[in-house]
Structures are given as C-alpha cells and as structure tokens.
Amino acid sequence: MNPWMIGGPALLTTAVAGLAAYGAVNSRSQLFGSAICRTNSARKLALTFDDGPNPAITPKLLDLLDRHKARATFFVIGKFARECPELLKETAARGHVIGNHTDAHPNLFWLKPDQITVELRCCNYSIAAATGEKPRWFRPPFGYRNPWVIPAARELSQRAVMWTLLPGDWRATSSEWLIPRMKSVAENAQRNLAGDARAQNSANGAGDIVALHDGGHRQLNADRLPTLAALEYWMPRWRDLGLEFVTIEEAVNAPAG
Ligand SMILES: [Zn+2]
C-alpha cells in the first residue's frame, strides 16, 4: 500500500495544526489578521501594561512613569475597570492610552465570533463609562487569536497590538530575575541607534513594544513589585541610550510636522 494513503492526511493535519498554533500564539504572526508588532521607529519604545487596573500597583506605576516623564499604554480587563473606575479615569487623565484586554480575560482561541464580540463590547463599555472614551486598541489575552478575533476587533474600529518582548513578569519573584529578561531592549537600542546609518536604515520601523503587567487576570491586587523595580532599573538606562517612551498611538503615527 502507498504509505501516503496512510501518512498523507495525517501529515497534512499535523502541518495545518502547526500553522494554526503558530497563527494563534506567535506574537508576530499575521496569519489571522493584521496586528501591530513593532513601533515605527527604532527610537520609539512602547511600554504596555496588561491585566489592570490594579489598586495595589497601578498608582505606584503611574508615579514611576511620571517621574521618568513617560507615557504608556494600559490594556485593561473590563471587570476590573468596573471595580476601579476612578483609577482608570486617572490613568487616562495622566496622558496614558487605554486599550481593551477583553471583559473577563478568556482564551479567545476557543470562543465563537459572537462570544468574542461580547467580550470586546463589554470591556469597551466599562472603559468608556470610566474615561468617556472608547478604546481604539486591543490586545488578546495570552496573545491567543483565532480567525475571528481580529475581524471582530476591526468591526469595532480597534487594532490588535502584540509585542516584541514578553519578559514573563507575572512569574517574577524578584527584580534580579526580571531585569536580565528585559536586556534585549537595550541591546537593540545600542545596535540601532549607535550612529551607524546602515544599521539605522535596516532598523527602520523596528522599535520595541514591551508587554508587562500591572495586574493579574485572576484577581485584583496582584503583586507586581518586581515589575516596578525592573522599570526603575531600566527606564533611566533606556533614556540614556536615546529611546523615547511612547504610547501605542505615538508608536504607529508619524511624528507631526
Ligand atoms: Zn492578560
């Protein structure tokens, strides 16, 4: 018997499953629709924070960002936005961009189109109730997508935002563990901003988007002190290397004038 009669369909199934897994999980994959995966300049560094608002950490993070004159993007969970509307309002008022991170933080890979839309709409509603503005940016929980996620966001005029670096800060028990895991941002800046025109050209449109967490999706008041300590370490160093802290909006827009 021709072995392809047995192996062919199984191999094909494996290949399709592998491709689907890549499209669902890989942060740079465009397989299931277009997503923002980098800033548009090597000089621009976009810090993003997921799973808040978190009363235990977000106020401290806002002060830290102010001290470094930095603006960032917060992808918040709808159910936490309803618990802490004042904190969310303050985050927006201090110049940060608020994005949608769904209402209850499910793995969207398993959800049907109408369930995905409900997750997005409920979160939008809670953000708008607190800040007065509907978010234009969306990040899927765990980074998981299926073929309906990005079209559902687009239907609501929202663009999906992924990352170049996910240091895994939710696992960090100390800043000593986390700090080396954020080193690539400085290495990229050293390589791309060193004054070498050729390197700068090849890095065009290649700034980092770092995905960190000011909250925890399971409950409010998650401890993210190592994340704050690692930022205290890196932010002055990043600035000295010539990086500018930008929101996702600034990360994709051309500079004015
Ligand atoms: Zn999350």
Side-chain angles (χ1 to χ4, degrees):
M1 187 190 280
N2 181 346
W4 276 99
M5 296 298 284
I6 307 164
L11 283 176
L12 186 63
T13 308
T14 309
V16 168
L19 192 62
Y22 169 82
V25 179
N26 186 287
S27 73
R28 313 231 178 123
S29 159
Q30 307 285 323
L31 182 65
F32 291 150
S34 120
I36 298 161
C37 301
R38 288 188 165 279
T39 73
N40 63 9
S41 155
R43 205 162 277 289
K44 294 183 186 178
L45 169 60
L47 298 178
T48 65
F49 299 96
D50 295 1
D51 295 358
N54 178 6
I57 295 295
T58 312
K60 295 187 177 82
L61 175 59
L62 293 177
D63 289 345
L64 189 158
L65 293 171
D66 273 357
R67 275 203 303 284
H68 294 283
K69 298 188 172 49
R71 290 195 293 176
T73 306
F74 290 76
F75 291 97
V76 303
I77 298 175
K79 65 179 180 185
F80 294 160
R82 287 192 291 282
E83 300 225 29
C84 319
E86 285 303 318
L87 180 52
L88 188 58
K89 188 178 174 184
E90 190 189 338
T91 305
R94 283 164 82 163
H96 305 290
V97 166
I98 309 295
N100 181 321
H101 196 42
T102 73
D103 202 57
H105 207 276
N107 179 347
L108 296 179
F109 185 77
W110 303 109
L111 298 196
K112 299 190 186 95
D114 56 333
Q115 295 172 307
I116 294 167
T117 298
V118 167
E119 277 290 334
L120 295 181
R121 277 187 188 280
C122 288
C123 181
N124 280 348
Y125 180 83
S126 299
I127 291 172
T131 68
E133 265 187 70
K134 207 191 93 173
R136 295 172 51 210
W137 315 96
F138 155 71
R139 174 170 284 159
F142 316 105
Y144 287 158
R145 288 155 285 169
N146 66 20
W148 302 286
V149 169
I150 288 177
R154 200 183 305 129
E155 191 75 14
L156 300 171
S157 307
Q158 291 178 317
R159 289 188 69 188
V161 181
M162 302 300 284
W163 54 78
T164 55
L165 180 66
L166 183 71
D169 63 328
W170 65 90
R171 286 177 296 170
T173 50
S174 71
S175 57
E176 289 73 27
W177 183 91
L178 184 56
I179 285 168
R181 284 170 174 76
M182 296 162 70
K183 201 174 166 202
S184 66
V185 176
E187 288 168 346
N188 291 343
Q190 269 159 344
R191 192 176 53 244
N192 297 332
L193 303 176
D196 177 339
R198 210 176 45 191
Q200 281 193 17
N201 279 343
S202 72
N204 247 349
D208 273 303
I209 299 176
V210 183
L212 293 164
H213 296 74
D214 61 330
H217 68 88
R218 290 193 180 83
Q219 76 245 338
L220 283 176
N221 296 312
D223 173 12
R224 294 287 177 254
L225 292 175
T227 302
L228 298 182
L231 285 169
E232 285 283 15
Y233 176 87
W234 278 118
M235 287 185 77
R237 288 168 173 81
W238 287 335
R239 170 101 57 199
D240 285 350
L241 287 167
L243 291 170
E244 295 161 17
F245 303 113
V246 297
T247 63
I248 280 300
E249 205 150 312
E250 295 161 333
V252 298
N253 286 346

